[in-house]
Amino acid sequence: MADAVRVTGLSHDWGAKPALRSVSFAVPAGRFCALLGPNGAGKSTLMAVLTGLIRPRPGVVHVGGADLARTPRAALAQIGVVFQQPTLDLELSVRANMRYFAALHGLAGRAAASRIDACLERLGMAERADEKLRALNGGHRRRMEIARALLHRPCLLLLDEPTVGLDAAARGAITDHVHDLCDDGISVLWATHLSDELRTTDDLILLHHGQIRAQGPLAQVTGGAPVAPWFLAQTGGAA
Amino acid sequence: MTPLIAARAIIAREFARFITQRERFLAALVRPLVWLFVFAAGFRAALGLSIIPPYQTYITYETYILPGLCGMVLLFSGMQSSLSLVHDRENGAMRLLLTAPLPRWFLLGAKLLAGAATGLAQVVVFLAIAWIYGLKLKWFGYLAMLPALLLAALMLGALGLALSSRIRQLENFAGVMNFVIFPMFFMSTALYPLWKMQENAPILASLCRANPFTHAVELIRFAAYGQLNLAALGWTVMATGVFFAAAVWGFEPARTRGGPRGTGGAQG
């Protein structure tokens, strides 16, 4: 199966502080891969590298076969991203927010409108399309961001702690929605420190102190043990 | 087609934001109007002006400072765009923009054009009020001013863009006011001609000559009378290029090494 993203030998530092050390992994097409790590593990740094916001030295990132450093436009066109910090224009409607993002990816007019409708429908947000974002709760705002990230039909969806600050119901709904996306062949890299968001069928990458400590199918990596205590044991209770 | 769609969206967003911020629009207008109606009246008695190009006769002080005040509107507008970029960086909108599959210089260029367009709109309203007040130019003066104003807006917007690539927090913006806007404005020919300063403070006059804002103001001033000041044009074009190159350099991925927050992410 082709890889949606392949990362090889990636390291990065923030001044004297190493953030990522020799990180290598791949997420195959249509797989949900959880990037599990405690706070400060390097998850957001990795997300910033994968979205081209920072350039690693050294390291190579391929997205859908495109080298992020050499052909950034081809690589970025295949990535949908939901950052940890919401990126919303609260004074605009859901539809207007999505229209702006669609335009950044070259979609306008009817093509954009039909994609916006389809993506909102998929995330159960069709009825909210004309509401101002300020009027929506945190869960719905997050869903809008996920719908927005799907507008340009990416092969890889990156989500950085997308459920932080949400209540249990909203967290559950978003986790379910994103898992469902994999059925359509979209690959998901889901950064989190919350082990209860993982399913036994997921792939898992455990990141700690900027290094990958374990990776593979979740059941195989944990040896069938419950994820939460395993995670705590692996990170020395840092979660 | 994709770049044009994106550029249009970026410009439309900037305009929509500007229109919804009425206070910003009013402040942008009040500032030069106070100079025109209040300060100019006071300074008129204190400042004697000789006949200097492009003027062919004695002029009132209000007439002299009109191009400088246009420059002032653009200067503040450029810095306001810079402020909104820092805000965009803090609220994450900048990341959304920079992860679009378009060249970074293009995205920043679209932002620059958007800021310049809003600045131009403010100058047009300011000139209309000045016209009602009695400060009238010939129609071709207004026409010739447009490209000069656009270039000045691009230069000052590019400066704002370059500054915003280095400013990490909104709180630090006060420093920009003190160390960029005020020196640029007061050490220029916006309020007093160069010869006047040369008489009293030759060193300051030299600084004035090196100040790109001086050249932008002179470009506007000559254009207002249908004349082209080639030297001013050259300086302004060059400064625009240097500032924009600095902005693109500042927003390069390898440069944003201040920590994950610098890229908009949180530690994780």
Side-chain angles (χ1 to χ4, degrees), chain A residues 42-44 53-55 85 87, chain B residues 90 92 95 252 256 263 266 268:
Chain A
K43 301 188 297 293
S44 290
L53 289 172
I54 54 175
R55 196 174 292 154
Q85 185 193 8
T87 51
Chain B
E90 285 204 332
R95 271 172 307 165
E252 266 296 296
T256 48
T263 64

Side-chain angles (χ1 to χ4, degrees), chain B residues 8 83 172 191 201 236:
Chain B
R8 201 175 56 192
L83 181 67
N172 299 341
L191 298 178
T236 312

Side-chain angles (χ1 to χ4, degrees), chain A residues 54-76:
Chain A
I54 54 175
R55 196 174 292 154
R57 291 185 196 137
V60 181
V61 177
H62 282 97
V63 181
D67 187 326
L68 185 61
R70 292 182 182 185
T71 51
R73 291 169 65 183
L76 288 173

Side-chain angles (χ1 to χ4, degrees), chain B residues 150-160 184 212-213 216 235-236 239-240 243:
Chain B
L150 178 64
L151 182 60
L154 289 173
M155 183 193 86
L156 296 165
L159 174 64
M184 260 194 129
F213 185 67
W235 273 98
T236 312
T240 306
F243 293 150

